[in-house]
């Protein structure tokens, strides 16, 4: 029927393995700032789950960042907590 929209299949249907492969991060490095808590921690976890090596950057929450990195590693990913003040180019370069 012309004009009818199918609601059974969307372009990002999770059942379509090829589409889900678009989200894989194998071989990538993700530097996630503020990753010791909140949204940053959630982004770091997803990046790790999807195959990225994750740098869990923190400014003052060392213990929380280390816990996020440990969680990623425990789930089979690669992660390391690193301190850097992202407002400072020198600090970022040392990271």
């Amino acid at each position: 029927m012309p004009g009818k929209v199918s609601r059974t299949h969307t372009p990002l249907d999770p059942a379509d393995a090829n589409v889900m492969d678009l989200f894989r991060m194998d071989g990538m490095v993700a530097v996630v700032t503020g990753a010791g808590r909140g949204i940053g921690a959630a982004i770091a976890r997803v990046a790790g789950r999807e195959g990225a090596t994750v740098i869990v950057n923190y400014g003052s929450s060392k213990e929380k960042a280390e816990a996020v990195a440990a969680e990623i590693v425990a789930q089979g990913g690669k992660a390391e907590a690193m301190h850097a003040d992202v407002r400072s180019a020198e600090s970022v370069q040392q990271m």
Side-chain angles (χ1 to χ4, degrees):
M1 171 185 278
K4 184 175 181 181
V5 176
S6 170
R7 304 226 188 266
T8 59
H9 183 75
T10 64
L12 295 177
D13 188 341
D16 184 349
N18 294 326
V19 170
M20 294 312 292
D21 286 343
L22 294 173
F23 298 102
R24 293 293 306 163
M25 298 180 72
D26 298 309
M28 296 182 184
V29 175
V31 178
V32 184
T33 60
R37 57 190 173 170
I39 294 171
I43 291 169
R45 289 182 187 105
V46 170
R49 183 183 68 223
E50 294 305 323
T53 297
V54 183
I55 304 303
V56 181
N57 172 251
Y58 66 93
S60 60
S61 302
K62 179 179 181 179
E63 294 81 16
K64 291 179 182 180
E66 288 175 343
V68 171
E71 182 181 333
I72 293 167
V73 170
Q75 294 176 357
K78 296 177 186 175
E80 184 175 341
M82 291 188 169
H83 178 267
D85 180 350
V86 296
R87 299 170 294 179
S88 163
E90 181 179 330
S91 182
V92 172
Q93 288 174 348
Q94 290 176 359
M95 182 174 53

